[in-house]
Amino acid sequence: MRYAVVIEKSENRFCAYVPDLPGFMKTGASIDEVEANMHDAIVHHLDALCEDGRLIPAPTAVVEYCELAA
């Protein structure tokens, strides 16, 4: 599965969330760190859903960029 992860910069950290998996977010001092933290969080979250007998939500979010002339 491939989930869209949104990463935003705050004043001194990065924050990430997954639109298809609401309810949690992760932070990190760098993009690499927040990506690793989010990857681990997604794996653990999906494992917990399976253990609880709940369905894993299918990824539906799509990420696109809009190119604009400078």
Side-chain angles (χ1 to χ4, degrees), residues 24 26 34-47:
F24 70 92
K26 293 294 170 187
V34 77
E35 285 178 342
N37 292 345
M38 184 52 79
H39 180 273
D40 291 344
I42 292 169
V43 169
H44 293 303
H45 181 69
L46 297 182
D47 286 347

Side-chain angles (χ1 to χ4, degrees), residues 6-10 13-17 34:
V6 178
I7 300 172
E8 298 176 338
K9 173 103 171 84
S10 66
R13 296 188 65 74
F14 291 88
C15 177
Y17 66 93
V34 77

Side-chain angles (χ1 to χ4, degrees), residues 1-4 18-22 56-63:
M1 280 191 235
R2 186 176 180 190
Y3 288 98
V18 179
D20 291 318
L21 302 174
I56 294 176
T60 59
V62 176
V63 177

